[in-house]
Amino acid sequence: MPTGVASLDALLPDGGLPRGQVVEWVGPRSSGKTTLLRAAFAGLRAVGESVVLIDSARTLYAPDWVRLVPGEGRFWVVRPPDPAEAAWCADLVLRSGAFGVVALMSGVSRPGAGDEALHRSVTVRLQRLAEEANAVFVTVGRVPLASLRLSFRPGRIESVQEMFGPFLPSFRPVWVQVGKRGSVEVPLLCPISPPWGQDPTRDRKGPAT
């Protein structure tokens, strides 16, 4: 399933995200992973794919994502009252077969689970459901048995200055590592719209303090 982000699709096996599989989408805070996820969703929505985002951490700032709403397919956001119910929500959505892409944003790992957002048994069940629905299942957070891992980190601003002269605030350099070992990191120029097209005194979690 091509994302529409040409520089990302060029790195992915077969030129897109694998249907029926679990994709691990990870990176430290401010690495650009959420920005790139939003850009990928925009590309998928543009070709009519329906997308659901399960915001278990309840940190999504709606104005950042509102431009994804127009289109032929659906864009839904699910906010479970308890983060522990996020996997159950993903289960129900995948069983419906109504969405081509299901993304689970895990904000808090379960106690005793290390840095993994889902149990191995839960991941196996969700992968099987994704395969039955012919959907892409993306987890923003580490999970066992992911078939594809995309690991992001911030790029170097100076690389943009060298390429374009004065820094262009409409682009953000992001480095992505594809795979779990022996892979090569390459820079992606990920378009953003500072200050997200909204009030610059706010961030994605709400009013700045």
Side-chain angles (χ1 to χ4, degrees):
M1 183 185 293
T3 67
V5 181
S7 50
L8 177 61
D9 290 336
L11 304 177
L12 297 175
D14 300 320
L17 300 174
R19 292 181 182 270
Q21 300 296 328
V22 179
V23 178
E24 191 180 80
W25 195 282
V26 296
R29 191 183 187 90
S30 299
S31 64
K33 65 180 183 296
T34 306
T35 297
L36 191 54
L37 185 66
R38 186 169 56 246
F41 282 178
L44 292 167
R45 290 285 293 106
V47 295
E49 289 288 350
S50 294
V51 178
V52 62
L53 178 64
I54 301 169
D55 180 25
S56 63
R58 303 179 69 86
T59 59
L60 183 144
Y61 179 46
D64 287 357
W65 301 77
V66 70
R67 69 187 61 183
L68 301 184
V69 174
E72 295 181 3
R74 307 173 182 87
F75 177 66
W76 282 16
V77 175
V78 176
R79 280 185 157 177
D82 184 342
E85 297 177 355
W88 177 71
C89 293
D91 186 301
L92 293 179
V93 171
L94 286 168
R95 287 180 189 276
S96 76
F99 295 88
V101 183
V102 178
L104 192 158
M105 297 185 71
S106 59
V108 181
S109 296
R110 293 172 298 98
D115 64 349
E116 292 182 344
L118 297 172
H119 273 306
R120 177 180 291 260
S121 59
V122 174
T123 304
V124 170
R125 185 180 78 246
L126 294 175
Q127 186 275 323
R128 188 178 301 118
L129 291 172
E131 186 175 5
E132 292 174 359
N134 196 32
V136 175
F137 179 50
V138 179
T139 61
V140 184
R142 294 198 178 278
V143 291
L145 306 176
S147 65
L148 175 65
R149 171 181 292 172
L150 303 180
S151 180
F152 304 95
R153 65 180 174 86
R156 296 173 300 171
I157 297 298
E158 56 265 31
S159 66
V160 179
Q161 292 174 335
E162 292 169 3
M163 294 172 64
F164 296 103
F167 174 61
L168 298 178
S170 60
F171 283 87
R172 176 176 186 172
V174 178
W175 291 74
V176 57
Q177 180 176 341
V178 180
K180 296 186 177 181
R181 59 174 67 89
S183 54
V184 179
E185 293 186 348
V186 283
L188 295 174
L189 288 178
C190 184
I192 61 176
S193 303
W196 310 105
Q198 299 293 329
D199 184 350
T201 63
R202 301 176 64 92
D203 64 14
R204 70 186 183 95
K205 296 183 180 179
T209 55

